[in-house]
Amino acid sequence: MLQDSFGRRFYYLRLSVTDVCNFRCNYCLPDGFQCDKSIPEFLSLKEIGVYAKAFAALGTEKIRLTGGEPALRRELPEIIAQCKQTEGIKKVAVTTNGYNLPSVIDSWHDAGLDALNVSIDSLNPANFKKITGHDRLHKVLVGIERAQSLGISSIKINAVLLKKDNASEIDQFIEWLKNKPVTLRFIELMQTGDNEAFFKKQHLSGALIIEELINKGWQPIIKAHDAGPAEEYWHPDFQGRVGVIRPYSKDFCKSCNRLRISALGKLHLCLFANQGIDLREYAQAGDAEQLSKAITGLIMNKTPSHLLHQGHSGMIQHLSMLGG
């Protein structure tokens, strides 16, 4: 089992398949994806297979495919299938903005997709367009309904908390869960290299939401060993659940169970590390065994915590770089 010097075990790999995104979310890429030169060559299907095999050999059980927007990779169904067919991998998930979800979710399901995360920062169509730059809320919701009809039971909705843009919708979001068997996750806005001014205006603490949930009878859920960082709550009167991700909370990193591989094959021991470690030579050579050995050695350099609370976001300029 892959374990660092602080006793944390890593069951969960977040694997980015592209940096490119087609949304213009005001908290991430307000001017859209920018590329000053030709788009780099992202990990191939073969290379992704080597990373999946190497991590599986080290005890990783869950792979989440992220971006950018992973649906922009035309071969995403093949990527899902390859990860799912890797011995030891029990769950494959995709995080998406849902732009074309109705037209692709069937192929993802057929490929073996187990779990789906979809970004919805507002349930108001006009506000959704204001935040994301796209008038696509209806399409996204139709895609989620299709995923449910296909039997994908693990569906999570991600909403980044924005003090001035969607904080007034929190009650509407929660009421939406009355008859929706999904998990809604409120994510605290994180400061990155290019959003300092925006962060100061828009950051809202998730602690306020947790206090409100508890006051209204919501009860905490014990985390699974391969679960993400959300603190989740359930209520007997609601079909859905609520999760809150609080990266600025005390001891947030104590339960870290995930590592990240960038779309260029670099290992990131933390989302907010100062640099990624290039391991692509092993993937290009098809050498999963040596890749596993390299990861095992490097994991001992993982620090106890990020330094977000000190205003240090490492190399991350915007979250599409590593998929959050």
Side-chain angles (χ1 to χ4, degrees), residues 5 10 17 23 33 103 108 129 132 141 163-164 173 213 217 230 236 278 304 320:
S5 59
F10 299 90
V17 297
F23 268 30
F33 178 77
S103 62
W108 297 358
K129 182 179 179 181
T132 68
L141 293 175
K163 184 187 292 184
K164 298 181 181 296
F173 264 118
L213 289 171
D278 194 355
S320 74

Side-chain angles (χ1 to χ4, degrees), residues 43 102 119 139 218 225 242 322:
L43 291 173
S119 296
K139 286 284 188 183
W218 289 79
H225 70 274
V242 180
L322 265 180

Side-chain angles (χ1 to χ4, degrees), residues 47-68:
E47 290 171 313
I48 289 170
V50 177
Y51 278 104
K53 185 176 180 181
F55 274 93
L58 295 171
T60 294
E61 299 175 355
K62 174 181 175 182
I63 296 177
R64 176 172 298 284
L65 301 170
T66 68

Side-chain angles (χ1 to χ4, degrees), residues 106-125:
D106 283 62
S107 65
W108 297 358
H109 172 261
D110 293 344
L113 185 72
D114 298 295
L116 180 70
N117 282 26
V118 186
S119 296
I120 300 180
D121 296 309
S122 175
L123 290 171
N124 177 293

